[in-house]
């Protein structure tokens, strides 16, 4: 294993991308110093501590991006630092405090700590396509966007694109600091990241896909540039291990309109109830091409969109005539061979959950945010009742709120 005996740091380790990165690093034999904001919160740490090799080689540290010097002791002794922590969510009330400061000042805070440690060979920063494409240049099916593109902060600000602005300013500041301080730095610039979750809560990029398979009436009039989370995490490792890696690596497997995502899901799972109509007919961001050249040169093998979509949720469960369970529960369902009897399947899940006490704190929270869905029309009478019973029991045992049987 190429990481044996080497110590690396991952910031924001409990996040969607970082959790996969920690998993891959541990698999490769690295010792990982992982920062989280609250190590005592099981939702942020349980899934990391359960990873293979975690017991021996994962250490959790508490660190906030805006606490000056908070990363000093964490990066000390490391050969590599992966900086992924940055806020990524919608509904921002105060862009400066919530998004821009943690992204920009936080990145500089981490880099300042790195600059003090001579053993650090390279810093890999998780940037985004958000720092590449938002500059007002015309886009269209014949336009190929590549790593030479930079988003324009003024354009982002004028358009209230606060997340895009945060990633653009953070990457800009990081390059400047790295050059001035002789830090070997590489950035990974993914599109919208989808694929299986290790963490127990829904993250921003997976939400739109889960909404589609969870009973949305319409699909958004939006275009997505999608990439699998495993490819993103792998690219981070490659960018660190490959000594000739440099600059930026843009990662997009496919650019699609949401209608194509719905169509792909329909083809994968004909039994799934999916939205038929687009939410509106306004002009959406046009489709454009994204260069894969540099990512391929790094050694990234792109996971096809269909595989990523399939793995994003437990859609398998629905095709087996049962319920849709997200996250860890989805894995429980997958252990059951294809089952045509919904009652049997429900009993199986029920037993798995309660007898083996798989409903941990972290799962409780995630279930409460989502629906249980029974989408098998012809078994409706029998399975609806079983679902109801199960839901009632879930309420009783855990007092989950917000679970619905559709
Ligand atoms: N997902 C995508 O589609 C996508 C695409 C391109 C780039 N990216 C970038 O990838 C990185 C990870 O994103 P993700 O999708 O994995 O999102 P995520 O699951 O929300 O992870 C974000 C991480 O950042 C941490 N964080 C946020 N604010 C922080 C603060 N003030 N101090 C310390 N930690 C803080 C969070 O910590 P807590 O766990 O404590 O909340 C969390 O671990 C981000 O830099 C994001 O911009 C994501």
């Amino acid at each position: 294993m190429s990481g044996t005996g080497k110590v690396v740091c991952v910031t924001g380790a409990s996040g969607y991308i970082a959790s996969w990165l920690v998993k891959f690093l541990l698999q490769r034999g690295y010792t990982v110093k992982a920062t989280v904001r609250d190590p005592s919160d099981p939702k942020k740490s349980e899934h990391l501590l359960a990873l293979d090799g975690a017991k021996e080689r994962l250490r959790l540290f508490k660190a906030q991006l805006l606490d000056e010097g908070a990363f000093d002791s964490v990066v000390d002794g490391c050969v590599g630092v992966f900086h992924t922590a940055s806020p990524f969510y919608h509904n921002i009330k105060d862009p400066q405090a919530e998004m821009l400061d943690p992204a920009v000042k936080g990145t500089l805070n981490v880099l300042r700590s790195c600059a003090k440690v001579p053993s650090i060979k390279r810093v890999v920063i998780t940037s985004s396509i958000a720092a590449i494409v938002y500059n007002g240049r015309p886009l269209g099916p014949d336009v190929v966007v590549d790593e030479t593109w930079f988003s324009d902060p003024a354009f982002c600000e004028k358009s209230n694109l606060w997340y895009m602005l945060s990633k653009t300013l953070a990457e800009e500041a990081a390059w400047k600091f790295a050059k001035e301080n002789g830090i070997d730095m590489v950035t990974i610039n993914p599109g919208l990241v989808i694929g299986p979750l290790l963490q127990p809560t829904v993250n921003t990029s997976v939400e739109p896909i889960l909404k589609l398979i969870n009973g949305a009436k319409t699909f958004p009039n939006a275009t997505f540039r999608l990439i699998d989370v495993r490819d993103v995490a792998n690219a981070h490792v490659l960018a660190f291990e490959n000594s000739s890696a440099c600059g930026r690596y843009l990662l997009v497997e496919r650019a699609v309109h949401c209608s194509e995502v719905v169509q792909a899901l329909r083809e994968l799972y004909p039994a799934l109830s999916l939205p038929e109509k687009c939410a509106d007919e306004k002009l959406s961001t046009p489709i454009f091409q994204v260069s894969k050249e540099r990512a391929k040169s790094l050694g990234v093998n792109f996971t096809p969109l269909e595989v990523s979509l399939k793995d994003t949720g437990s859609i398998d469960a629905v095709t087996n005539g049962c319920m849709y369970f997200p996250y860890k529960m989805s894995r429980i369902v997958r252990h059951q061979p294809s089952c045509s009897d919904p009652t049997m399947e429900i009993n199986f899940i029920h037993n798995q959950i309660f007898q083996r006490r798989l409903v941990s704190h972290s799962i409780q929270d995630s279930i409460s945010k989502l629906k249980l869905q029974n989408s098998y029309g012809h078994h409706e009478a029998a399975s609806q009742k079983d679902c109801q019973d199960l839901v009632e029991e879930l309420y009783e045992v855990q007092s989950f709120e917000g679970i619905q049987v559709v």
Side-chain angles (χ1 to χ4, degrees):
M1 289 190 288
S2 55
T4 308
K6 295 179 185 157
V7 184
V8 291
C9 164
V10 177
T11 70
S14 55
Y16 175 45
I17 295 172
S19 298
W20 276 98
L21 175 58
V22 171
K23 181 181 167 77
F24 289 168
L25 289 167
L26 290 172
Q27 268 172 6
R28 293 181 72 74
Y30 289 95
T31 293
V32 182
K33 293 171 100 176
T35 75
V36 293
R37 273 190 280 189
D38 182 4
S40 66
D41 180 353
K43 279 189 300 213
K44 303 290 177 181
S45 58
E46 254 182 12
H47 65 287
L48 295 175
L49 295 169
L51 293 171
D52 283 349
K55 215 168 139 220
E56 301 79 24
R57 287 177 284 109
L58 177 69
R59 288 167 65 198
L60 297 184
F61 293 80
K62 186 182 169 84
Q64 288 271 2
L65 283 172
L66 293 177
D67 286 355
E68 201 62 42
F71 296 86
D72 282 1
S73 61
V74 195
V75 302
D76 192 31
C78 290
V79 290
V81 173
F82 299 89
H83 175 47
T84 81
S86 204
F88 181 22
Y89 56 89
H90 305 302
N91 304 326
I92 305 145
K93 291 184 187 71
D94 181 345
Q96 190 66 45
E98 291 176 52
M99 195 101 327
L100 303 177
D101 284 351
V104 182
K105 292 183 185 166
T107 298
L108 290 174
N109 192 23
V110 172
L111 286 174
R112 265 194 296 276
S113 300
C114 295
K116 297 176 199 162
V117 181
S119 62
I120 294 172
K121 303 255 176 298
R122 179 168 290 163
V123 179
V124 180
I125 303 253
T126 317
S127 186
S128 169
I129 194 170
I132 287 186
V133 86
Y134 297 91
N135 51 24
R137 278 166 74 173
L139 295 166
D142 297 330
V143 176
V144 183
V145 171
D146 65 18
E147 288 85 350
T148 62
W149 283 51
F150 286 87
S151 294
D152 173 13
F155 177 84
C156 295
E157 193 166 355
K158 199 174 63 192
S159 319
N160 291 345
L161 298 170
W162 303 118
Y163 172 69
M164 287 70 177
L165 181 61
S166 77
K167 296 306 284 181
T168 304
L169 294 176
E171 196 191 310
E172 208 174 84
W175 281 119
K176 185 169 181 287
F177 186 92
K179 274 176 195 140
E180 285 169 3
N181 292 274
I183 293 176
D184 181 338
M185 190 183 100
V186 174
T187 68
I188 301 296
N189 297 64
L192 193 74
V193 184
I194 59 167
L197 296 95
L198 293 174
Q199 86 283 5
T201 47
V202 181
N203 62 290
T204 303
S205 58
V206 157
E207 211 173 13
I209 309 295
L210 290 183
K211 271 189 186 155
L212 292 177
I213 58 182
N214 248 335
K217 297 277 175 283
T218 57
F219 56 83
N221 186 6
T223 56
F224 299 133
R225 286 142 290 276
L226 299 168
I227 178 74
D228 194 287
V229 66
R230 293 159 291 192
D231 297 345
V232 176
N234 184 36
H236 282 72
V237 179
L238 290 167
F240 174 66
E241 290 186 348
N242 184 342
S243 57
S244 60
C246 60
R248 317 165 93 194
Y249 292 94
L250 182 49
L251 293 178
V252 172
E253 197 279 321
R254 222 174 302 168
V256 287
H257 188 268
C258 190
S259 58
E260 294 168 73
V261 174
V262 174
Q263 186 52 28
L265 287 169
R266 196 165 278 132
E267 280 165 24
L268 282 167
Y269 302 106
L272 200 60
S273 166
L274 290 159
E276 303 277 346
K277 276 196 202 144
C278 191
D280 63 68
E281 286 172 7
K282 282 183 230 148
L283 276 181
S284 63
T285 318
I287 291 283
F288 53 88
Q289 296 176 55
V290 179
S291 170
K292 287 183 176 165
E293 292 310 305
R294 277 183 54 77
K296 281 185 180 165
S297 76
L298 187 63
V300 175
N301 288 316
F302 287 89
T303 303
L305 171 65
E306 291 74 13
V307 176
S308 309
L309 283 175
K310 190 165 182 243
D311 293 349
T312 299
S314 174
I315 306 165
D316 290 357
V318 180
T319 58
N320 283 345
C322 188
M323 291 169 284
Y324 166 65
F325 279 102
Y327 322 122
K328 289 186 183 172
M329 294 179 106
S330 69
R331 263 163 259 153
I332 300 165
V333 177
R334 277 198 208 121
H335 294 154
Q336 174 81 333
S338 184
C339 172
S340 58
D341 181 345
T343 312
M344 253 178 66
E345 179 104 19
I346 289 165
N347 285 343
F348 171 80
I349 296 164
H350 181 276
N351 290 341
Q352 293 290 312
I353 294 167
F354 291 102
Q355 286 178 6
R356 291 169 52 190
R357 308 216 173 278
L358 283 167
V359 181
S360 66
H361 305 293
S362 48
I363 296 176
Q364 291 170 26
D365 280 4
S366 34
I367 292 173
S368 69
K369 291 199 186 115
L370 290 147
K371 300 178 205 173
L372 297 173
Q373 184 174 343
N374 180 341
S375 68
Y376 239 52
H378 63 282
H379 285 303
E380 207 166 27
S383 56
Q384 276 293 58
K385 185 180 175 316
D386 287 328
C387 281
Q388 287 289 9
D389 289 349
L390 176 58
V391 169
E392 264 169 40
E393 205 157 344
L394 284 169
Y395 271 122
E396 221 177 273
V397 178
Q398 311 287 351
S399 40
F400 294 127
E401 281 180 30
I403 297 177
Q404 268 178 276
V405 180
V406 181

